[in-house]
Amino acid sequence: MQVRSLLEQLDPSHLAAPHRSLPRAVHRWSEKQLTNQLQVPVLKSRETEAKEKGGLLCDLVLKQDNHHLNSRSPVHVWGYFFDCMESERSQRMGNACIPLKRIAYCLCLLSALLLTEGKKPAKPKCPAVCTCTKDNALCENARSIPRTVPPDVISLLFTSNSFDVISDDAFIGLPHLEYLFIENNNIKSISRHTFRGLKSLIHLSLANNNLQTLPKDIFKGLDSLTNVDLRGNSFNCDCKLKWLVEWLGHTNATVEDIYCEGPPEYKKRKINSLSSKDFDCIITEFAKSQDLPFQSLSIDTFSYMNDEYVVIAQPFTGKCIFLEWDHVEKTFRNYDNITGTSTVVCKPIVIETQLYVIVAQLFGGSHIYKRDSFANKFIKIQDIEILKIRKPNDIETFKIENNWYFVVADSSKAGFTTIYKWNGNGFYSHQSLHAWYRDTDVEYLEIARTPQTLRTPHLILSSSSQRPVIYQWNKAIQLFTNQTDIPNMEDVYAVKHFSVKGDVYICLTRFIGDSKVMKWGGSSFQDIQRMPSRGSMVFQPLQINNYQYAILGSDYSFTQVYNWDAEKAKFVKFQELNVQAPRSFTHVSINKRNFLFASSFKGNTQIYKHVIVDLSA
């Protein structure tokens, strides 16, 4: 045994005459028992121990010879039989204690050696499913990636295995691995961090598996990678694989040609030849953000004093509710209100730095308010003539040649749709368009009568008693004239316009029958699309960033959101919203956030957030 050998080197005479210094039981102890008996106590200074015990201080002087170290060390071994601190008896024995001190020192060194050897990790053995040599390992018929592959392998091959998923950090602890072949298996999924830590990897092969996609950045951190083989897989070339197309475009590694198996339009197409432009991976949606506990008819937004505000007309409470953006809570909160009776429209207009609000009411007349910045409240400054505006239904503001106007569509039998002009002190009646037609909506837009002419201001009036009427601005007399109509479009409740690549379109809302999308052809509007609608009172086009939408509300079904398809030059169904009896949809942009306000005549006013999602992320 190692202990016996070490004792013999130290003093062979102890083996010949053990009774001279060691108890007999010691010679029957095993190596493990000796180790367990050598419990090293808490050491104190030499002087302290000598004083506490009143005994000898055992200093072992090891002289330099063929069997001893060249050092001087104090040895303190307090055991049940190695005690040199017995004051009187030790002094009488004299040199008899010296061999014991040598043996004790030897056993202390041996115990330290055993403890040190025990801390060394065992060298991993080759897994049962693998065949290993010094630098290589081949694994077959494995159910998972083994965790005990020898850390010094340079080449590792997996083939004909039954596992189909490889998880994160599957090859951790193989810092020297340069060649990794995972071929001819049934691998369906690989995690993003599967190859993390393989900084020495040169060649990676995932050939002849069942992979349809690869997670983004799976090759991140493989700085030494020079060859990648992905052949023999069924890649689906959708947005999840867009990153691979981009990576192939800038990597320095050699990648064998690989092909798409889907979708059908890309089947058998070489992935190496695709570009990121071949993938349309950005989608949008309207996500519910906030509920406002009141009904509403119209909603408008405006900028004032470097802030964005929203004003909402509440018909049942008769109020104009103003909201502002809470930059801390990231929600809309109350700012102020104007109290009235049966309010249907609250139309803001900012002239220079002054805010005015036109409040249209069904009863009690309509009024104009001014924001008093000193008093920090709204003050009524003007009444709108009640003989002309009896039952207002819509208000539109516009600016022509540096002059501000607003027009009120009146839906009463005895009212007049009337244009008002700002004169520096207030608004005065500028032009009455026509009487007795029960107009429900008015829209301001600019169109060109011929391709060679500039766009000029126009108004389109919608009415329950006639087809939509188009008025053109006459610059010479500063009035709207040249009345025409939109043929074959009776019972249009409202008309709203939008532009795409310079072309002007209109959305026409019908409560009964099909709503329509029409395009300006230079002299008239032409049909391009019909939308089935029943009970619709709003068909609102709106643009958010580069996205053109049209939202068709209904009193009897879900609200339909359409997205403009540039290739088809028409709207396609995009999303459904659950809004009770919607009356208006308004886009509000604040701090690079885009919101959709949906008014409701029968339920809560709703706020949706416009969310952009990158499917390739």
Side-chain angles (χ1 to χ4, degrees):
M1 296 190 304
Q2 294 180 0
V3 175
R4 188 177 184 87
S5 175
L6 194 56
L7 290 174
E8 185 176 3
Q9 292 180 20
L10 193 68
D11 192 350
S13 63
H14 282 68
L15 298 179
H19 60 279
R20 292 173 53 194
S21 55
L22 292 175
R24 294 175 183 176
V26 174
H27 298 280
R28 293 195 300 269
W29 287 351
S30 65
E31 199 170 343
K32 181 177 180 180
Q33 289 173 314
L34 283 172
T35 304
N36 291 337
Q37 287 295 329
L38 291 174
Q39 301 295 327
V40 180
V42 177
L43 300 183
K44 301 180 182 179
S45 69
R46 299 163 63 191
E47 291 77 11
T48 301
E49 290 179 353
K51 290 179 181 179
E52 289 178 353
K53 293 293 182 177
L56 296 175
L57 181 65
C58 294
D59 286 343
L60 178 62
V61 181
L62 301 179
K63 298 182 180 179
Q64 183 176 5
D65 56 25
N66 294 333
H67 302 288
H68 303 286
L69 299 174
N70 183 20
S71 63
R72 179 178 179 86
S73 304
V75 179
H76 311 279
V77 182
W78 300 91
Y80 128 61
F81 56 89
F82 296 126
D83 192 346
C84 294
M85 297 287 183
E86 300 178 13
S87 55
E88 294 182 359
R89 182 179 179 185
S90 294
Q91 291 175 9
R92 289 196 303 269
M93 291 177 64
N95 293 334
C97 195
I98 293 177
L100 286 176
K101 287 187 282 185
R102 291 179 180 178
I103 294 171
Y105 183 74
C106 174
L107 292 177
C108 286
L109 290 178
L110 180 59
S111 178
L113 281 172
L114 290 174
L115 292 174
T116 304
E117 288 294 325
K119 293 180 180 179
K120 291 185 178 180
K123 187 176 181 180
K125 297 181 180 180
C126 185
V129 295
C130 302
T131 303
C132 303
T133 63
K134 180 181 179 182
D135 297 327
N136 308 299
L138 167 63
C139 302
E140 298 177 289
N141 302 316
R143 295 183 178 180
S144 63
I145 299 291
R147 294 290 185 176
T148 57
V149 176
D152 296 331
V153 297
I154 296 175
S155 177
L156 180 58
L157 171 63
F158 289 90
T159 184
S160 302
N161 294 281
S162 60
F163 56 86
D164 58 5
V165 175
I166 306 179
S167 59
D168 286 344
D169 301 318
F171 303 100
I172 205 74
L174 302 175
H176 306 294
L177 189 63
E178 296 181 3
Y179 300 90
L180 178 58
F181 303 87
I182 308 175
E183 300 178 341
N184 302 302
N185 300 282
N186 190 34
I187 309 300
K188 297 179 181 179
S189 174
I190 297 181
S191 299
R192 181 178 181 180
H193 300 298
T194 288
F195 305 118
R196 182 161 52 187
L198 301 183
K199 295 185 177 181
S200 300
L201 194 65
I202 296 174
H203 184 101
L204 173 63
S205 176
L206 298 172
N208 302 317
N209 284 289
N210 196 22
L211 293 168
Q212 294 185 5
T213 190
L214 289 173
K216 188 176 182 179
D217 294 333
I218 190 173
F219 304 131
K220 187 176 182 180
L222 306 183
D223 302 329
S224 303
L225 199 61
T226 58
N227 292 89
V228 179
D229 191 352
L230 301 172
R231 294 173 296 176
N233 287 286
S234 303
F235 287 116
N236 187 33
C237 297
D238 57 8
C239 289
K240 293 181 180 179
L241 213 63
K242 179 182 176 182
W243 75 269
L244 180 61
V245 173
E246 295 173 344
W247 181 80
L248 290 172
H250 67 257
T251 184
N252 293 323
T254 301
V255 183
E256 301 292 340
D257 289 343
I258 48 178
Y259 297 86
C260 302
E261 286 297 321
E265 59 267 27
Y266 288 146
K267 188 174 178 64
K268 300 304 179 184
R269 189 168 174 182
K270 189 186 297 185
I271 298 179
N272 310 60
S273 66
L274 297 176
S275 69
S276 58
K277 295 180 180 178
D278 294 317
F279 298 86
D280 184 12
C281 299
I282 304 297
I283 65 168
T284 61
E285 67 174 348
F286 291 99
K288 190 74 167 292
S289 174
Q290 191 176 347
D291 258 350
L292 302 178
F294 49 75
Q295 295 83 15
S296 58
L297 274 181
S298 67
I299 301 175
D300 277 282
T301 180
F302 62 95
S303 298
Y304 178 63
M305 303 292 287
N306 298 320
D307 275 317
E308 296 292 326
Y309 297 89
V310 179
V311 57
I312 302 174
Q314 294 181 297
F316 299 109
T317 62
K319 292 182 178 181
C320 294
I321 298 293
F322 293 82
L323 304 178
E324 64 178 350
W325 178 250
D326 189 323
H327 295 273
V328 176
E329 298 295 332
K330 308 300 181 185
T331 58
F332 290 92
R333 65 186 180 190
N334 288 340
Y335 169 70
D336 206 342
N337 67 81
I338 297 174
T339 303
T341 304
S342 300
T343 304
V344 293
V345 181
C346 305
K347 196 70 176 183
I349 178 171
V350 179
I351 300 176
E352 296 179 351
T353 60
Q354 183 60 57
L355 170 63
Y356 300 91
V357 181
I358 305 132
V359 180
Q361 301 181 146
L362 295 179
F363 305 103
S366 299
H367 314 283
I368 300 174
Y369 289 80
K370 172 185 176 180
R371 182 68 180 179
D372 190 325
S373 57
F374 295 102
N376 197 30
K377 65 180 182 179
F378 289 99
I379 301 174
K380 185 170 70 173
I381 62 169
Q382 186 180 344
D383 295 326
I384 297 176
E385 47 196 337
I386 196 171
L387 293 178
K388 292 184 177 180
I389 306 302
R390 296 176 180 270
K391 192 176 180 182
N393 205 67
D394 187 32
I395 298 176
E396 188 81 356
T397 62
F398 53 91
K399 188 177 183 180
I400 300 176
E401 298 176 357
N402 295 322
N403 292 313
W404 280 101
Y405 301 84
F406 72 84
V407 55
V408 181
D410 189 89
S411 61
S412 69
K413 293 181 179 179
F416 296 82
T417 293
T418 304
I419 300 172
Y420 293 84
K421 181 180 179 180
W422 173 254
N423 67 358
N425 296 313
F427 292 91
Y428 67 93
S429 177
H430 180 71
Q431 180 184 3
S432 292
L433 295 177
H434 61 191
W436 311 96
Y437 283 105
R438 303 180 67 178
D439 296 326
T440 53
D441 180 81
V442 58
E443 179 75 354
Y444 174 84
L445 70 165
E446 295 181 357
I447 54 177
R449 286 289 177 173
T450 64
Q452 291 77 26
T453 59
L454 297 175
R455 291 188 175 186
T456 56
H458 288 71
L459 290 177
I460 301 179
L461 297 182
S462 301
S463 173
S464 59
S465 61
Q466 65 176 359
R467 294 186 292 268
V469 179
I470 304 175
Y471 288 86
Q472 181 180 359
W473 177 255
N474 188 318
K475 185 177 180 179
I477 61 175
Q478 299 286 293
L479 297 172
F480 284 95
T481 59
N482 299 337
Q483 178 179 335
T484 60
D485 64 15
I486 300 176
N488 304 317
M489 282 303 296
E490 287 76 14
D491 298 321
V492 173
Y493 181 80
V495 174
K496 302 299 176 184
H497 83 284
F498 65 97
S499 297
V500 175
K501 295 182 178 180
D503 293 323
V504 178
Y505 299 82
I506 56 174
C507 293
L508 300 94
T509 311
R510 300 177 74 185
F511 191 81
I512 300 175
D514 292 340
S515 295
K516 284 187 178 181
V517 179
M518 305 182 79
K519 179 181 179 181
W520 177 252
S523 58
S524 63
F525 285 100
Q526 303 166 355
D527 286 3
I528 65 167
Q529 191 174 5
R530 290 173 178 261
M531 307 291 192
S533 61
R534 180 173 174 267
S536 296
M537 298 186 72
V538 55
F539 188 16
Q540 180 68 54
L542 51 88
Q543 185 173 2
I544 301 178
N545 298 328
N546 296 322
Y547 301 95
Q548 180 65 54
Y549 301 99
I551 306 178
L552 181 63
S554 173
D555 283 8
Y556 307 121
S557 62
F558 287 105
T559 291
Q560 299 293 330
V561 182
Y562 295 89
N563 190 20
W564 181 260
D565 189 318
E567 293 184 1
K568 298 178 180 179
K570 61 191 302 185
F571 285 107
V572 295
K573 278 190 176 182
F574 171 70
Q575 187 178 352
E576 287 185 344
L577 303 178
N578 186 12
V579 183
Q580 291 183 299
R583 293 295 181 265
S584 68
F585 296 99
T586 306
H587 169 221
V588 178
S589 180
I590 294 179
N591 286 355
K592 297 182 179 181
R593 294 178 173 88
N594 293 284
F595 299 92
L596 174 68
F597 277 68
S599 68
S600 172
F601 188 66
K602 295 181 179 180
N604 289 342
T605 300
Q606 299 181 19
I607 305 175
Y608 294 86
K609 185 177 181 180
H610 184 253
V611 180
I612 299 176
V613 181
D614 186 355
L615 296 179
S616 66

